[in-house]
Amino acid sequence: MRVMGFPAGMFQTNCYVVALDDRAECVVIDPGQEALEPLKQVFSQHSCEPVAVLLTHGHLDHTWTAQPLCDEYGIPAFIHPDDREMLATPSAGLGPQLSGFVQDSDFTEPGTVKDLTDGEKIELAGIEFAIDHTPGHTRGSVVARVQVETGEGPRQIAFTGDTLFAGSVGRSDLPGGSHEQLLASIADKLLPLGDDTMILPGHGDTSTIGRERAANPFLQDIR
């Protein structure tokens, strides 16, 4: 499996492209601001074409390029229904202090939007994504997990969005956020995973569940 990524736009949101080694189809995760041209470069360099966009939540820094990307390639966007409103109305997730940032911009949903459901497994580009609903950062935040084969056996990768970072957790002060719910989501859905589970977050560096379990200051009371 190939996982390519780059930080997009002024928010430096990690955008990921996931593809099997032997297939030309790929899945884009969280195409943020100014991500379209860098994505096209990735598609060209790695000889792949997107079949779906998977959104870990509805905040604009993760969804900015979803509509133009989906509509140009004729592909669906997947998002939890609790965050779908933000695709066309990003101010719904920003609060009054940040809403002015987008007041002069127009956003629309992609032509095709499909729901993500807690506990479901969806196959995209030949890859099975396990979906965990992890509310707290937003009401509709999700983590998408895939299993890859390595020389040391199978290993999980978790695309954690803004739920869990290396050394930190997502903010919970925007509409729909709850710090208590965020920690409960991490405790219920992420900490039970194996220590070698790789986490690929929405911002910053990669990590592992074991590293975060041992050293993340926000998780020490819920281990």
Side-chain angles (χ1 to χ4, degrees):
M1 182 180 293
R2 296 170 287 168
V3 180
M4 296 76 76
F6 59 90
M10 71 174 76
F11 306 100
Q12 294 291 278
T13 302
N14 289 332
C15 176
Y16 299 103
V17 178
V18 189
L20 294 178
D21 291 335
D22 58 351
R23 294 189 58 159
E25 301 91 353
C26 64
V27 177
V28 176
I29 298 176
D30 289 354
Q33 185 190 35
E34 300 175 350
L36 189 56
E37 290 308 314
L39 279 169
K40 289 182 177 180
Q41 293 177 19
V42 172
F43 301 155
S44 176
Q45 291 170 3
H46 295 273
S47 301
C48 59
E49 184 166 314
V51 297
V53 167
L54 197 158
L55 301 169
T56 61
H57 63 289
H59 281 158
L60 183 60
D61 59 323
H62 291 251
T63 67
W64 200 303
T65 306
Q67 180 269 322
L69 176 65
C70 287
D71 290 356
E72 177 168 344
Y73 287 89
I75 60 177
F78 289 79
I79 191 169
H80 192 278
D82 287 348
D83 277 12
R84 180 170 177 169
E85 175 188 14
M86 287 185 258
L87 291 175
T89 312
S91 59
L94 297 178
Q97 291 184 331
L98 295 176
S99 292
F101 180 75
V102 295
Q103 64 182 359
D104 296 324
S105 302
D106 292 325
F107 293 90
T108 58
E109 280 193 354
T112 302
V113 179
K114 297 186 178 183
D115 290 345
L116 293 173
T117 303
D118 183 45
E120 77 169 322
K121 295 181 178 180
I122 57 173
E123 185 173 317
L124 303 169
I127 302 166
E128 185 176 81
F129 292 85
I131 304 300
D132 297 313
H133 183 209
T134 55
H137 178 62
T138 65
R139 285 186 289 267
S141 289
V142 301
V143 168
R145 294 179 288 109
V146 299
Q147 185 164 287
V148 299
E149 294 297 329
T150 73
E152 300 175 353
R155 186 177 185 184
Q156 277 203 102
I157 297 176
F159 297 92
T160 57
D162 287 2
T163 294
L164 180 63
F165 301 124
S168 188
V169 298
R171 64 187 295 178
S172 54
D173 59 328
L174 296 176
S178 165
H179 187 68
E180 292 75 15
Q181 194 174 40
L182 177 67
L183 294 183
S185 291
I186 294 171
D188 292 343
K189 300 295 179 66
L190 293 177
L191 290 185
L193 301 176
D195 281 350
D196 65 346
T197 301
M198 179 73 68
I199 67 167
L200 274 62
H203 302 270
D205 297 333
T206 63
S207 186
T208 65
I209 290 295
R211 192 178 306 154
E212 297 313 302
R213 191 195 316 278
N216 189 314
F218 293 91
L219 307 187
Q220 298 314 296
D221 292 335
I222 61 171
R223 285 185 295 175

